[in-house]
Amino acid sequence: MKLVVTEKNIAAQKIADLLSVGKPKADKVYNTPVYRFQVDGDEWVTIGLRGHILEPDFMPSIVYKKSSGWQGVTAEGEVVPAHIPDFLPKPPFKTKRKPFKEDGVEMGAWKMDALPYLAYAPIEKKPKEKDIIRSLKNLAKKSDEIIIATDFDREGELIGSDALSCMKEVNDTAPVFRARYSAITKDEIQHAFSHLVELDNDLAQAGESRQDIDLIWGAVLTRYLTIVKFAGYGNVRSSGRVQTPTLALIVARERERMAFVPEDYWVIKARFGKEPEDFEATHAMARFKAEAQANAVMGHVEDASKGVISSIEKRKRTVAAPVPFNTTSLMAAAASEGLSPARTMRIAESLYMDGYISYPRVDNTVYPESLDLEGTVRKLSDVAVYRPYCQELLSKGALVATRGKKETTDHPPIHPTAAADPDKLGAPEWKLYNLIARRFLATLSESAVVEGTKVTIDVASEPFVTRGDVLVKPGFRAIYPYGLKKDEQLPSLEEGQSVDFQGATCTKKQTEPPARYSQGKLIQEMEKLGLGTKATRHAIIERLYTVKYVQNDPIEPSQLGIAVCDALGKFAPQITSPDMTATLEEDMNKIAAGEKSRKDVVDLSRDILHDVLDELLPHQEEVKDALADAVAADAYVGPCPKCGKDLQLRASSKTRSMFIGCAGWPDCDVTYPLPKGKVEALEEKCPTCGMPQIKVTAFRSKPRTLCIDPNCPTNQEPDVVVGKCPTCAEKGLDKKLIASKNPRTLKRFIRCENYEECETSYPLPQYGELTATEETCEHCGAPMVIVKTARGPWKLCPNFNCPGKEKEAEEKEAKAAQKKVAAKPTAKKAPAKKTAKKPSPKKEKE
């Protein structure tokens, strides 16, 4: 049996479909889906993992004995050597309080004294997906050959290597091969399985070194920041090797904006000609720094009624076609279209798995010679909207693509691999696919030519200038309109011509500070500085939002984000500098190239982190004070109506749910509930009662402004009788079901007026106008209600346990499955006489 191991279940299913002559048989080993099929009489099985099935973690404790030195103790009690520097104290310690024990140190204790040891603590691999590992081992025992077919990058190589280590525990004799592919299409997959290579241990080691380094730095710095200030809004204070210098970029830009001193200037604009061919021109000075100078110009032209065209200059400029997409440029382009980098990568991964685009995590910007450009264009011609342009490209003969500056050999740049139907893809999926397809076609196109016209008009010896740009040769712009400005067509004018002068206006303006980073621009800056990788940058930015260090887009740092960055930058500046991170990134590249060992690079990172701790530990109180002030500033909602102190956004120590509480607690017990969703404090007070207001953005809903006081008339809802209680009716009682809102929790529900005895209650959606229908659910007898939201009215049964909901869910799932099957790109059938090519494995050197 040949066992094929992929990174995800969907990849296992699709590879089985593409390799199998007939239809693969879906099966399960324990609870893990597998796909069985035959190729030329050989039995094949594909199994998908769930990403990483092993994860690194610190050993629970380290112990010291004079005879054997420091040792790590695993979760199973196994003892392994540990390399703890001699400058750290050894047992017996003066105290037995955590994290110290009689013979060692506990690594799981979130104590400041444990951090220097944690920086050097040994790491072990622990099972993350136990069920999958059990299934994998079961199949490995019966396998004659193992093929690792995870994604071809550091992460994928490490996932495959970890899976192989599990399989070797039960079968260390089966030969192991590696299938590398850049797209999940029939040709690509068959080629990969016909040209198998060896697993790249250096690449896997580079991936593992990143795991180890990020674990060590993230754990130590996050625990440090959390221990110095653990309470209230946000709770855990996250930090990391890449996250912190990325935050520093955002904070540095905000500092520039805060330090910026705006300067006044004046702009004079005038209108010329007659409607509908009138046009605007700006004084040639553009900006007047002195108001008197601007007023003098206005005085000169005050009585003028005509202007004379003194010069007309026309120049053509060529705009080169764009280069192919790599991960960074794709995320930047998609961000301009409203897709965040994190969402872009999620959608791109889905499109890749469905066979629509090539592998989306690449640095390469040069198409390899092996890529069939003409064949890809022919595939895209199946999409109606691209067909005319594709036919035009193909009619011009040999296709020549643009080339970017980065050329690698792992994967081609991101490009479409199959035709997609906009009616069968979701709106976000089509938006990204459309961007990628049009970019690919643009890279095979001619340059665009723009004609620029500059016209100078003389009014009472004062020069006014206007410009117009016209796309005279569309070139690639015919298929790739992103970022294209509209033509600015000027009326037909000639030198010496007299034109009507309609008057001028003088406007006072101010210079503006440098713009904040958009997510797309930040991704590009991170790449430029060597922060993170193509596969991690979007996740780093998403993490900064999650821990409330940044907000909005363009990205604005919170007070907490600024405080964390300033505190770390003051006492350990190498953390916030990109230099150290970029150096470690380069070292990891050298591991992948076989020039450095994983141990040397990880040990170096431990030493750097120890130096950082030496600088941070003596300044705990200063860091604590900085974070405390920032937490209070970010969490501030308004003044407490009872004691006058600050009302703050707080997190419950028991449930971690958010609420508004007074900073004067426990002396002042004023609290207010919060609805679900993202909550932001507003400066404007409630116009009805004068209390503070908040902006609430619930999942997939537009922001709403609410008063924090549940008793404010704006938060009140009248009770609505929605029907009769079915439970009471069975007992011969005539009781009403009433919809109401709990002023303490803000939750809405339907409850029987006889609730204490019958206990009939149904939850309701939190938002939307409620209307009774006098109808009952055919499945459970509960009253049907109508909830009207911004998306329109919808009728529902409020009973969560209604049998009809299960039936609806099954029907919805079946429809989704049918839609997905219909959306699959279909491979063209080979001529009847040809037989499927046998994917016979053979080793090749790279």
Side-chain angles (χ1 to χ4, degrees), residues 56-305:
D57 198 2
F58 297 107
M59 293 183 185
S61 64
I62 54 173
V63 296
Y64 178 79
K65 295 180 181 178
K66 285 186 178 181
S67 58
S68 52
W70 284 103
Q71 294 176 311
V73 182
T74 69
E76 288 75 28
E78 182 185 351
V79 177
V80 298
H83 304 283
I84 309 297
D86 290 336
F87 52 74
L88 290 177
K90 302 177 181 65
F93 298 111
K94 294 179 180 178
T95 176
K96 297 296 187 294
R97 295 181 62 182
K98 284 188 177 181
F100 299 115
K101 304 189 301 179
E102 185 177 342
D103 60 347
V105 185
E106 289 184 20
M107 294 294 94
W110 282 49
K111 300 291 182 181
M112 204 66 81
D113 290 336
L115 298 186
Y117 295 92
L118 193 65
Y120 290 98
I123 294 171
E124 62 176 325
K125 282 288 186 77
K126 293 182 178 178
K128 182 182 179 183
E129 302 288 348
K130 292 183 178 179
D131 286 346
I132 292 178
I133 291 172
R134 183 172 68 153
S135 304
L136 194 63
K137 288 182 176 181
N138 179 284
L139 289 171
K141 285 179 187 177
K142 309 165 189 175
S143 299
D144 304 312
E145 185 176 302
I146 295 170
I147 302 173
I148 303 298
T150 50
D151 293 343
F152 177 38
D153 57 10
R154 290 182 193 177
E155 203 79 1
E157 210 75 7
L158 175 57
I159 290 169
S161 179
D162 284 346
L164 182 59
S165 69
C166 295
M167 291 186 284
K168 280 189 173 295
E169 291 177 14
V170 296
N171 183 349
D172 61 355
T173 59
V176 179
F177 300 102
R178 178 69 160 105
R180 293 178 179 170
Y181 49 90
S182 297
I184 302 181
T185 61
K186 193 171 189 69
D187 290 345
E188 183 83 8
I189 293 300
Q190 286 197 335
H191 180 272
F193 279 81
S194 297
H195 297 77
L196 296 173
V197 295
E198 292 182 349
L199 198 68
D200 189 334
N201 187 58
D202 290 333
L203 198 62
Q205 288 288 297
E208 191 156 9
S209 68
R210 177 182 303 284
Q211 269 195 338
D212 291 349
I213 292 171
D214 288 349
L215 169 67
I216 297 164
W217 279 76
V220 170
L221 294 180
T222 295
R223 290 187 190 190
Y224 172 84
L225 290 173
T226 304
I227 294 166
V228 295
K229 172 61 184 171
F230 188 89
Y233 184 62
N235 285 319
V236 174
R237 314 287 174 226
S238 177
S239 183
R241 178 184 62 88
V242 181
Q243 177 186 309
T244 304
T246 301
L247 175 63
L249 290 175
I250 299 166
V251 172
R253 178 60 59 88
E254 196 67 18
R255 292 284 186 211
E256 288 180 52
R257 290 174 58 84
M258 292 164 68
F260 181 80
V261 179
E263 296 180 1
D264 293 338
Y265 67 93
W266 288 261
V267 174
I268 297 177
K269 291 188 176 183
R271 292 208 71 80
F272 295 92
K274 294 180 179 179
E275 292 185 358
E277 292 192 332
D278 59 339
F279 60 94
E280 188 177 71
T282 304
H283 193 278
M285 182 67 77
R287 293 183 177 186
F288 293 90
K289 293 187 177 180
E291 185 177 13
Q293 190 180 7
N295 289 337
V297 171
M298 291 295 289
H300 293 164
V301 303
E302 185 176 5
D303 297 324
S305 61

Side-chain angles (χ1 to χ4, degrees), residues 338-389:
L339 296 174
S340 71
R343 193 178 185 199
T344 294
M345 292 312 294
R346 285 193 291 269
I347 296 171
E349 179 72 18
S350 174
L351 291 173
Y352 162 67
M353 285 295 179
D354 286 337
Y356 288 115
I357 66 170
S358 62
Y359 191 60
R361 292 189 285 274
V362 297
D363 289 321
N364 196 4
T365 55
V366 178
Y367 296 130
E369 291 183 8
S370 59
L371 181 61
D372 184 2
L373 300 176
E374 184 179 325
T376 305
V377 174
R378 290 190 187 282
K379 288 177 184 176
L380 288 180
S381 66
D382 289 341
V383 182
V385 70
Y386 309 144
R387 188 174 299 128
Y389 195 84

Side-chain angles (χ1 to χ4, degrees), residues 474-716:
F476 76 92
R477 282 300 189 187
I479 193 68
Y480 195 77
Y482 302 98
L484 176 64
K485 294 180 180 178
K486 290 183 179 179
D487 281 358
E488 297 172 347
Q489 186 83 46
L490 292 173
S492 178
L493 300 169
E494 296 179 4
E495 286 190 20
Q497 178 184 341
S498 176
V499 292
D500 289 339
F501 174 64
Q502 297 181 18
T505 58
C506 182
T507 306
K508 180 181 179 181
K509 296 187 176 183
Q510 285 189 325
T511 53
E512 295 183 351
R516 294 186 174 106
Y517 286 109
S518 66
Q519 291 195 41
K521 290 289 185 185
L522 183 59
I523 286 277
Q524 292 174 311
E525 189 67 16
M526 291 171 73
E527 181 184 47
K528 179 181 172 183
L529 296 172
L531 293 174
T533 68
K534 56 186 177 290
T536 62
R537 292 182 185 115
H538 64 282
I540 293 295
I541 295 175
E542 191 171 41
R543 176 67 178 163
L544 290 174
Y545 279 101
T546 301
V547 296
K548 297 184 173 66
Y549 287 171
V550 301
Q551 57 202 8
N552 305 326
D553 190 15
I555 306 173
E556 178 183 355
S558 65
Q559 291 299 315
L560 178 58
I562 293 173
V564 166
C565 192
D566 287 352
L568 295 178
K570 180 178 180 181
F571 302 117
Q574 62 266 55
I575 300 179
T576 57
S577 166
D579 297 340
M580 176 272 296
T581 293
T583 299
L584 288 175
E585 293 287 351
E586 184 59 35
D587 284 344
M588 284 183 263
N589 289 337
K590 290 180 179 178
I591 296 174
E595 297 170 9
K596 282 199 171 185
S597 74
R598 170 183 152 222
K599 182 181 183 305
D600 288 345
V601 173
V602 174
D603 286 350
L604 171 63
S605 77
R606 291 181 188 270
D607 290 337
I608 296 172
L609 181 56
H610 175 263
D611 293 341
V612 167
L613 274 178
D614 271 353
E615 295 168 332
L616 285 176
L617 289 173
H619 299 286
Q620 296 174 42
E621 287 301 316
E622 293 160 273
V623 174
K624 175 182 177 180
D625 292 342
L627 296 187
D629 291 341
V631 169
D634 278 336
Y636 179 76
V637 175
C640 174
K642 183 176 179 181
C643 70
K645 292 185 178 179
D646 291 350
L647 289 175
Q648 298 174 332
L649 294 170
R650 291 182 164 277
S652 166
S653 58
K654 292 181 179 179
T655 65
R656 300 297 185 194
S657 59
M658 300 299 296
F659 67 97
I660 293 173
C662 179
W665 187 87
D667 297 328
C668 180
D669 60 357
V670 170
T671 61
Y672 297 99
L674 285 174
K676 289 184 178 180
K678 178 185 175 184
V679 177
E680 299 172 62
L682 299 176
E683 292 183 8
E684 300 81 11
K685 303 298 182 186
C686 174
T688 303
C689 70
M691 286 291 286
Q693 294 187 117
I694 53 175
K695 182 172 77 172
V696 181
T697 308
F699 180 64
R700 290 185 177 176
S701 300
K702 291 183 178 180
R704 300 181 313 119
T705 298
L706 297 175
C707 175
I708 68 167
D709 186 358
N711 296 316
C712 175
T714 60
N715 285 325
Q716 299 301 306

